[in-house]
Amino acid sequence: MKRYSVFAIAREALRYHTGWERAWRSPDPKPAYDAIIIGAGGHGLATAYYLGKNHGITNVAILEKGWLGGGNSGRNTTIIRSNYLQDSSSAIFEKARSLYETMSQDLNYNVMFSPRGLLMLAQTHHEARGYKRTVHANRLQGVATEWISPQEVKKLVPIINIDGPRYPVLGAQYQARGGTARHDAVNWGYARACSDMGMDVIQNCEVTAIRSENGMVTGVETTRGAISCKKLGIVVAGHSGVLAEMAGFRLPIESMALQALVSEPIKPCIDVVVMANTVHGYISQSDKGELVIGGGTDGFNNYTQRGSFQHIEETLRALIETFPIISRVKMLRQWGGIVDMTGDRSPIISKTPLGNCFINCGWGTGGFKAIPGSGWAMAELVAKGEPGPLAAEFDMWRFKEGRFIDESVAAGVAH
Amino acid sequence: MLILECPYCGVKAEETELQPGGEAHLKRFGPGSSPEDFEAYMFARKNPKGVHFERWRHAYGCGKWFLAARCTATLEVFGTYPAQSPEPPADLVNKIKAKRPEWKGWK
Amino acid sequence: MSTRLSKGGRLIDRAHAIEISFNGKRLRGYRGDTLSAALLANDQMLVGRSFKYHRPRGIVASGAEEPNALVNLGAGARAEPNQRTTTTEAFDGLVAASQNHWPSLDYDIGAVNNLAARFLPAGFYYKTFIHPRPAWKHLFEPIIRRSAGLGKAPAEPDADRYEQVYAHCDLLVAGGGIAGLQAALIAGAAGARVMLLEQTAHWGGRAPVDGDVIDGKPAEEWITATLDALGKMENVTLKTRCMVAGVYDHGYVLAEERVADHTPGDGRPRKRLWRIRATRVLSATGALERPLAFAGNDIPGVMLASAVRDYVGNWAVSPGDRTVVVTNNDDAYRTAIALKEAGLEVPVIVDARAQANGALPQKARAMGIRVEAGRAIVKVKGGKRVTGVALGLMAGEGAVLEEIACDAVAMSGGWSPVVHLWSHCGGKLTWDRARAMFRPDAARPPLTQDGSALVIAAGAANGALTGAEALADAAEAGVAAVKSLDLKAKTTPIGKAEAVEEAMIEPVWMMPQGAKASLRMKMWLDFQNDVKVSDVQLAAREGYQSVEHTKRYTTLGMATDQGKLSNINGLAILADALNEDIPAVGTTTFRPPYTPVTIGALVGEARGEIFQPLRRTPMQGWHEAQGAYLEPVGLWRRPYCYPRAGETHEQAVNREILNTRANVGLLDASTLGKIIVRGPDAGRFLDMLYTNVMSSLPVGKCRYGLMCNEQGFLSDDGVVVRLAEDTWLCHTTSGGADRIHGWMEDWLQCEWWDWKVYTANVTEQYAQIAVAGPKARLVLEKLGGMDVSKETMPFMTFAEGELAGIPARVHRISFSGELSYEIAVPASHGLALWEKLVAAGAEFGVMPYGTEAMHIMRAEKGFIMIGDETDGTVIPQDLGLDWAISKKKADFLGKRGQERTYLASPDRWKLVGFETLDGSVIPDGAYVLDAGTNDYGFRKAQGRVTSTYHSPTLQKGIAMGLLRHGPQRMGEVVEFNTMAGGTVAARVVNPVFLDPNGEKQNG
Amino acid sequence: MAEPVSALGGAVFEGFATVREIGPLGMITLRAKPDVPGLEAAVRGAVGTGLPARRQMDWAKDRGCGWMSPDEYLLILPHAEVGRALAGIEAALKGQHFLAVDVSDARAVFRIEGEKADQVLRKLAPADLDAMAPGELRRSRIAQVAGAFWAGEGGYTLVVFRSVAGYVMGVLTHSAQPGSELA
C-alpha cells in the first residue's frame, strides 16, 4: 500500500493525481474464510482490523449489504467521549477514545480526531449532583473529567446563554479530551487498512441466511453466493434483530429511528461539543462550519431511515434557548438512522447460542464514539471465543440476571 | 409522522397526540415464573422488519391505550383495535395476509 | 458589462426605484428586483468566493439552485448568513455583504489556495496532516477551522417573531407554474380541499419567460385567468412565498412561508412554518437546468442559459453585452433569441451536437446568429469576469480552433426534473435515456399509510419539459389525483400550449469529449465546494465507487444547494469513470428540506417565556413577589429558598430550617401528585401497585407506600390515604403525578381490564400546604374550624372540614420530622389559605421554607428522596425499606424482578448514614474507596453518597449513602474521594440523625 | 367563605381575535360506562342533559355534558353548584361502579372570539378544525400541552389544566397578534 503523506500528494500533483491506487480492493467473495464479519460499518471494520492486528487472523471477509460505512457510522453526529458512570462503560469508551487519539497514525489515514472538549450542561440541581457523581466515578476510573463553573462554561462557549431564566446553567461536566472525528474517514481508514492486510471488504453483498449444523455456524448465504466460515461475527447495528432471527435467537433489542440535522456552514462560533440533556439537545460545529445537531429517538419500531419532525423541533427549541444566535441560521439537511436499543440502553458484545457465532450490537444512540474499543473487544471475543475484560460485562445474559449497565443517570438523552 | 385512528374516540390522531408503548400482546410473567419466561417478558422483542403489533396511547385525546398493526419497513398501517384484545382480530389478520402473502403470522 | 436594459422587465416596477447596499456600495434597483437582479443591473459580477479555493464567484442561476451568490443579509439582530441573492426580494434599504474572504471580496488572501489547487485535490486532507500527531489539533485543524464556513454567525439574538400553523387538505400542490395551476384547477373544480403553494412571489413559473403560448394567447393571460378561477373557489388555498420544504410519512408536509422577509420589522411574523396533513401531494416543482462541464465554467459571467433569459425577461437585466451561448439542446436557443431581441450581441452559439437544425436553431440562424455545431468551449478566459472563450472540436482533446471575445457565457446541459418531494419519502426514480434525465418512476411512488401512492408528479417535475407537454401531463395528473381522492372530476378547461418542435438533447457531461487532465482540473461540477471533474474521477480511481462515497469523499453536492446543479453531472462523470450505466450508479438520497429553512421558523412561537410550558401553583405569584429563588422541578419552578436582603441562599436555607425546627414553617406542596382510585377492586389493584398492603388501610388513615417498576427498581413513593370504603387517594412525587397516573391506567386498560377500578388525576384540583414545626398546631387552631388536637387527629390520620371557612382535607403526615399538617384545599382557595396561614402564623414566627430546606430536613430524619437515594437501579431492599415490602402478598409489580439473582445478592450496596470525622460535608456524588483495583485497573469502590448536606440543626456534615454490607458496618470509618483528588473520612452511622423515636412528628 | 379565584383572574388579550380567560367554571369528571343503570338520570339531574354521543357536547343552557372517553364524561355547571351536583350523582348511582370528582379548580378555561378566532387555534392545535362536527368536543394538543375545545357562540371555548394557564395565555396571545392573520 502506498503510504499517504504530504510528499505523496506533491508527487502525485505533478502527474495530475493519476497515480493514486485504490484505497481498498473490491474482490469477489472466496468460497471460505477463517472468519466472516457481517457489516462493514465502523464496528465491523474495526473488529476485522483488530482481528488482524492483535490476533493475526487475516483470512477474513467483511460483508456489507450496501456501501461500506453507509449505516449509522456514516450518519451520526461524530461525538467522542468517555465520561461514563459505570465502570464497564467507561472502560470500553475510554479504550475507544484513547485509540482515536492515535488512529490517524495507526491507519495512516487522517480521521481528523479533534479533542476539542465536551461539555455536559447541568441545568437543574439534580442534574448537577448526577454529573458530580460521574466526575467522582471517573476519578476512580482514571478518566479525565472535571466539574466546571458557569463562568468557565461561558469562557469555553461564548455564545451560550447561561442565565436562563428557565434553565440557568449551574455548571458542567467537562471532558477536555472528548471531541469529534470525521466519521467517513474512520470507516474508510479501517477499510483501507483491512484491505491492506489481505482481508476482503465485499460491498453490495447481503446476507440472506445463516447456515448452521448442531449448534455451530458453517457459513452464510448471500446475494453473491454461499460463503463458509469457521467463525462468524454479526456487527450490523440497526438490523441486529433481523440477523439474529436468521441465526435462530432473539435479542433484547428494538430498532428505532434517531434524528439528526446539520445547518448551513457558518464561520466558527462554537468550538466545543455541548450536550444539554435537561432540554434534550446537543450540538457541535464541524470543520466545514456546519452546526451538527442531534435530535431525539422516535419511540416506535422503525426500519426506515426517516424520522418524525417533532423531535427535531424539540431539540431546536432547546438549542435556541441555550444558543439564541442560531435562530437565524438555517437547517440544511435532516436525516434519520436506525439505532438498536437494548433493555438497559447499553451494548451487547457477546457469545450467542451458536458456538462460533458472536454478536456486537445495541449501541443505541452512542455507537460512533465506541468504534475502536468495540472492535478491539469484539476481535478478542471472536479470536479467543471468550470475552476479555472489556467485553465481559456486556454479555446478552445479563438481562436474565438483572445485571444492568444503566447509564441513564449520566446521560438522560441520546448521546 | 404517523397517523393512527383511535378505535375508541374515532379521531385520526397524529403522532404528536400519541404515545408509543412498544410490542403488543406480551404475556406478563410474575412471581414463580422461570428466569427464561421472565426475561422474555421483560426484554425479548420480535422487532420485526415488517408487520408489527404495537401499543399506542391516545395521550392527547381520550387517554385510552389501543393496539395497531403497522409495517416497520414501509410504515403502512393495517388497522387499530382496542387494547382489551388477547390477540389481533381475525379480520385484521386476514387483511394483512391478503396484503402480505409472505407474512408468517403474528405469533 | 452587465447592465439594466432601457425597456422590458415583466416583474419590475420602474415607477418605484429602491436603493440597496452591497459591501457598503449603494446600488439602485426597482421594486420587484431580486437581489441578484439588482446586483447584475449594477455590473456587480463578482459576488463571493468559493469554499475551498476562494475562487471568484458570480451569479450562476436565477432561483433556488444558486450555489455562489450567498451573502450576509441585514445587520445586528437581523443579520442572516448565507442568504441566496437569487431568491431574496430586494427592498429599499436592504443591506448585504459578500462572504468567505479576507480582507476583501476583490483581494482575498484565501485565494492562495487557488494557486495551490493542484496540491489540494479531493480528500487531500485524509492523506496528510497526519504527522506529527499534535500538529493536527494545534496547527492544521485550527487553520482549517478558521477558513471553514461561509457566512458570519449572527452576533445577537434574533429580533424577529415566528409562528407555526397546522393545515389539512386533500391535495397539496407544490409549485405554482402552469402545471401546478392546471392540476389545482382540476382538483379544485372537483371539490377537493386544495392547497397550492409557490416558493417565489410570482405565479406561472417559466412559461412567460419561455414565451409559451397557451390557448392562442401569451401564457401570462392564461395564468391570470386560471388564478382568477382558483381564487373564486372556497375550497382552494393559494400561497406565494411558501416553499414546500419536505414531504414526510403519512402525508405530512412542511412548508416555510416568507411572510415579512421583504418587509423587515413591520411587526408581522418574519416566517411561518406550515405543518400540513395532505391526503395526496402533487409535485409540480418544475425542473432545473444543468451546467456544462468545460474548463473555466466557474468564472463570473458564466451562467445558466435559462437564468440569462430570466434576467433579461423578468428584470430587464443583461448579464453581458456579448454573450456566447453553449448548449447540447434546443432550449438554450431561446436565450440567444431573447438576447438578440433585446438588442444584445450573441457572437456565437456553440452546440455540442453534430447538427442543429431544429426550429429554434433555424430561427436563431435566421436572426443572423452564428451557430457552430459539433463544437465545444475548450476554456473560458478571464479571472474575476469572463473576457472570452476558446473554441475547439467537441470530439477533440482541446486543441483551440478559435478565440472569441465575450463578457458572458450562457450554458445549458439540459434539464433535470426537481424530484426532491417525490423522493423524500422513498419514491424511486427512473433514468430517461432519450431525455438524459432522472424522472419519477410512477410504478414506485412513495406510499401513504394505506399503502397507496402519496405523491403524484406533474409537468416538468415529471419530465414533461415543454409547456405543451407540461400542461397535458398536469391535466392527467390532476384527474388522477381527483380519482385517488374518490372524487368525480368535473369538466374543467385544459390549457393547450403551442408545441414547438425541439430536436433531441445529446448528453454531454464534459466538453470537449477527450479533454486532457489539465482541462479536467478546471471543469467545475460543484461551484460552491470546488469539486471538479478531475476530483470525481480521482474518487472513482481510488475506489470510492458508491455514489455516496464519491459525494462524501469529494463533498460533491454537500454545499448549501445540496447538489441541485452538480449531482447529475457528477454522477454521470462517475458512471463514465466506472464504465457503468448512469442508473446503475444511482443518485444520493434526497433529504428535507428542499432549500434551507430558518431554525427560528422551525421552532415557531416556542421561545423565551413560552419556549416550554411552565406549571404554576396557585401560590406561585406570592413566592415570586417574595423574591423566592426558584428551581426547575419537572415543568414546575419551586421555591428553593426565600432569601432575605443580604442573605446568601445557604444562609436563607439554614434560617428556614432552624425556624421550622424551632417555630413553624410553610411549604407549598401543591406539586405533589394526587390520584383518586375508586372501585370494588381498588384495594386489590393498589396491592399490586405498591410493595406493601394498601387494602388493609383503615378509612381515615394514611400509610407510606412504595412503587416499583416490573424490573423491581424503586420508581415512586408517597402517602396513601383511605378516603372511603372503596376510595383511596394516592400521593406521588412532584415529578411523578402524570407518570404514575399513566402507569395505573396502563395496567387497568391493558392487563387487568376486567377489574372494576377508576382513577382520576386530581393533582391540580388542590393546593397543598405543609405547616410544619412545634407551633404548627397553634397556627391551625388560630385559623379555627377543625379539631386538630393530638387526640382527634393523631399522626398518620386525616380529617375533612373547614379551616378559616375554606373546605380542607388535613393530613397529619410529616416529611420534615416535625409536628406537621399537610392541608389540601381547592386550588381556587390556595392563595387565600396561604395568606391566612402567613397572617395567623405571624405571632408564632411562621416563615415559608423552600425545597432545599425540605431536602435537608428529610435527610436529618433519614427519609429517602426519589431521585437522590434512587437512580433507576436501586431496589427498596437497598434502602432498608424491607418493612414496606409485603412478605405475604403473592404478587406485586416488581416482585418477580427483585427475585433475580443480581437483585437478590447479599453483596448489594445498602443505605446507611455517614458523619464526617471533621464535621465537613462529603462532596456530592463522592464514592467510598475500596482497596485495590478491578479487572479494568480502576480503583475499586464499595459505596457512594446519595444525599449530603450541612445540617444547621446538628451543626455538622451529615450524609446518606449506599455501602456494601452497610448496615452491618455501623461505627466503621470509611473514605470518600473528592474531585480535588483527596479523601474525606466518615463514620458509618444510623441514617436517622434526628429524633429517632419520632417524638416530634408524633407529638 | 372567600370567592374562588380563577388561574389568571380573567386575563384578556385583544388581538385579531379576542382571548379571554373565563371562569372559575364548575366541572365534574364522571367516570362510568354508559350502560350503568341510572347514569343518564344522574347526568340529567346534575346538568339537565342526556348522555352525549361519542365526541359530542350536549348543552342545557349554561350546563353541559361532554363525551371525554368511552367511560368518562365532563360535566360543566356553575362553580357554586358542584357540591350539590356531586351529592346528587353519588345518591343516584349508589351501589354502581363509577367515580365522580370535582375538577373545577384543576382547569383553566379560555374563550377565543372574533371572526378569525379559528386561526388562533389553527396555529396551536394539530386537529382538523374544518372536520369538526357541530357540537363536537375535540381533545388535542395546544402547542405543548393537552387541551379540549369546542366551537360555539362566535368563537371557541378551550379547557386546559390550571397550572399551565399562563403558558396557554402566552401562546394564544402570540397567535392572535395583530398582523399575523392567516388570510
Side-chain angles (χ1 to χ4, degrees), chain B residues 6-12 14 16-17 58 60-64, chain D residues 31 54-55 67-71 126 138-141 144-146:
Chain B
C6 172
Y8 294 100
C9 63
V11 165
K12 288 188 170 50
E14 79 151 28
T16 64
E17 296 174 287
H58 193 188
Y60 283 89
C62 67
K64 294 302 184 195
Chain D
R31 294 204 59 181
R54 185 166 84 161
R55 297 215 313 267
W67 187 97
M68 298 288 276
S69 89
D71 58 6
R138 181 66 151 94
R139 302 180 71 177
S140 183
R141 183 171 56 80
Q144 299 174 54
V145 297

Side-chain angles (χ1 to χ4, degrees), chain D residues 27-30 57 64-68 72-76 103 107 137 148 150 159:
Chain D
M27 289 193 196
I28 294 171
T29 287
L30 174 57
M57 190 91 206
C65 177
W67 187 97
M68 298 288 276
E72 180 177 344
Y73 300 89
L74 177 66
L75 309 188
I76 296 180
V103 292
R107 308 272 191 267
L137 165 67
W150 59 85
V159 180

Side-chain angles (χ1 to χ4, degrees), chain C residues 583-605:
Chain C
V585 170
T587 64
T588 53
T589 315
F590 294 85
R591 298 282 190 182
Y594 174 58
T595 63
V597 176
T598 301
I599 286 175
L602 292 169
V603 165
E605 86 292 338

Side-chain angles (χ1 to χ4, degrees), chain A residues 17 23 68 74 105 109-110 114 116 133 139 166-167 184 265 267 287 305-306 327-328 331 333-334, chain C residues 82 100 118 126 130 141 148 151 158 160 248-249 541-542 544 549 552 591 597 600 612-613 871 979:
Chain A
H17 302 281
L68 75 89
Q105 294 72 34
Y109 201 101
N110 186 357
S114 171
R116 64 186 54 171
R133 176 183 166 189
R139 282 277 182 286
R166 193 61 184 281
Y167 294 108
D184 292 324
K267 290 297 174 190
D287 283 344
Q305 286 176 331
R306 307 188 291 266
S327 172
R328 291 181 91 89
M331 172 173 85
R333 182 178 177 89
Q334 85 172 82
Chain C
N82 304 330
N100 200 38
R118 192 167 183 180
Y126 297 123
I130 296 173
E141 192 191 22
D158 196 340
D160 282 310
Y248 298 76
D249 290 290
R541 191 176 312 127
E542 293 193 273
Y544 299 89
H549 285 153
R552 291 154 180 256
R591 298 282 190 182
V597 176
Q612 229 182 33
D871 62 4
M979 289 190 197

Side-chain angles (χ1 to χ4, degrees), chain B residues 5 38 66 82 91:
Chain B
E5 179 167 339
F38 184 71
F66 63 88
D91 57 341

Side-chain angles (χ1 to χ4, degrees), chain C residues 906-955:
Chain C
D907 295 331
R908 290 180 68 87
W909 296 356
K910 291 187 181 289
L911 186 80
V912 292
F914 295 106
E915 259 178 28
T916 55
L917 302 189
D918 60 5
S920 66
V921 178
I922 298 169
D924 273 319
Y927 278 78
V928 182
L929 299 173
D930 197 354
T933 59
N934 61 18
D935 294 354
Y936 308 118
F938 297 168
R939 176 70 189 267
K940 278 193 194 158
Q942 55 179 324
R944 62 182 181 90
V945 73
T946 55
S947 296
T948 170
Y949 301 100
H950 170 76
S951 160
T953 318
L954 305 162
Q955 289 298 324

